[in-house]
Amino acid sequence: MDFLRPDTVMDLSNIRAALIRMEDTIVFNLIERAKFPRQPSSYQKGGIAIPDFDGSFVDWILREEEIVHAKLRRYQSPDEIPFFPDDLPEPILPPISYPPVLYPHPNKVNVNDHIKDFYVNDIVPSICQDGEQEENLGSSSLCDVECLRSLSRRIHFGRFVAESKFLTERETMTAMIKAKDMAGLGAAITNSAVEKQVLARLKKKAETYGIDPNLKSSPNDKKVDADAVVAMYENWVIPLTKEVEVEYLLHRLHEEV
Ligand SMILES: O=C(O)C(=O)C[C@]1(C(=O)O)C=C[C@@H](O)C=C1
């Protein structure tokens, strides 16, 4: 998939190949995070005192990193959506003129707050031991940032999936968008067979990557709970990707149709 070549971006098999590759990144990021305990204070507003910042320690790191990445023009790339869009500086590198592949204001669809919410409240408790290690607060929070960023990129890729599906079913989808038929759109973008494949593949990946091939398999050797990774996709990642797809399509009506 090459964002400078729209035909490659709108090819559903290329999009799915990119989603499959992102599974590896997400599983490895979760494995890294699972090395540390839950670290509850890193997610609480004021849990760690930060001068002039009204948020959690993880929020602060995320925002600081996004400021640097924005300078490197990360958020000009069509597949990157920041968590702190209002706080970001202009890039220091010259702009790249990406040909438009999505409707004019695709970043209006932003479910990052929702992603942060399920990640902190559901995923971290399901993959990490209870407790806090003061000396590793920085390390675990940097892992959180990687997890959040990779989940956000995956889920917001729903916009490309939706546009690609729209282009192949323009007439029916236009009618549904005009009628604000969310259930119809939800059904139109759903492919249950693909979802089953995603979950089966993910279980295999989490089991395989989560164990050192040189060690004999025992529950204690596992670096991440494969069932928790699958549950995360089943309960959050796929449903939110679908929500992004439907929301993207609904916005499309106002922008172009
Ligand atoms: O591959 C697709 O067609 C997608 O829309 C992506 C995805 C997913 O999140 O993995 C979401 C909805 C479909 O039901 C199948 C899979």
Side-chain angles (χ1 to χ4, degrees), residues 64-109:
E64 292 293 305
E65 278 206 6
E66 287 193 343
I67 289 171
V68 175
H69 292 200
K71 290 183 187 167
L72 308 178
R73 68 184 171 205
R74 181 172 200 143
Y75 303 107
Q76 292 195 339
S77 183
D79 58 333
E80 298 279 356
I81 297 198
F83 285 75
F84 291 91
D86 300 331
D87 297 354
L88 302 182
E90 290 299 315
I92 56 164
L93 293 173
I96 297 174
S97 57
Y98 289 101
V101 280
L102 299 174
Y103 74 77
H105 300 291
N107 287 16
K108 276 187 187 164
V109 183

Side-chain angles (χ1 to χ4, degrees), residues 42 50 53 56-67 84 137-145 149:
S42 63
I50 305 164
F53 185 73
S56 73
F57 185 57
V58 168
D59 279 339
W60 179 76
I61 300 182
L62 195 50
R63 183 174 164 278
E64 292 293 305
E65 278 206 6
E66 287 193 343
I67 289 171
F84 291 91
L137 276 173
S139 305
S140 64
S141 301
L142 287 170
C143 293
D144 287 324
V145 168
R149 193 180 285 138

Side-chain angles (χ1 to χ4, degrees), residues 106-136:
N107 287 16
K108 276 187 187 164
V109 183
N110 185 338
V111 296
N112 275 337
D113 283 345
H114 202 146
I115 292 172
K116 208 159 54 161
D117 205 52
F118 83 71
Y119 174 76
V120 170
N121 294 315
D122 204 276
I123 308 314
V124 173
S126 74
I127 60 164
C128 298
Q129 305 271 334
D130 250 340
E132 183 139 306
Q133 275 172 0
E134 224 287 311
E135 71 278 19
N136 281 323

Side-chain angles (χ1 to χ4, degrees), residues 5-6 9-10 32 80 87 98-99 102 135 142 147 168 177 184 191 201 216 229 233 240 250:
R5 290 182 42 215
V9 181
M10 282 304 112
E32 289 304 299
E80 298 279 356
D87 297 354
Y98 289 101
L102 299 174
E135 71 278 19
L142 287 170
C147 288
T168 53
I177 294 169
N191 185 328
R201 193 175 49 241
K216 281 215 179 88
V229 178
Y233 257 70
L240 267 178
L250 288 174

Side-chain angles (χ1 to χ4, degrees), residues 13 69 75 82 84 113 115 118 165 167 175 207 221 232 237:
S13 59
H69 292 200
Y75 303 107
F84 291 91
D113 283 345
I115 292 172
F118 83 71
K165 288 178 179 172
L167 295 178
E207 283 172 351
D221 296 334
M232 175 185 79
V237 176

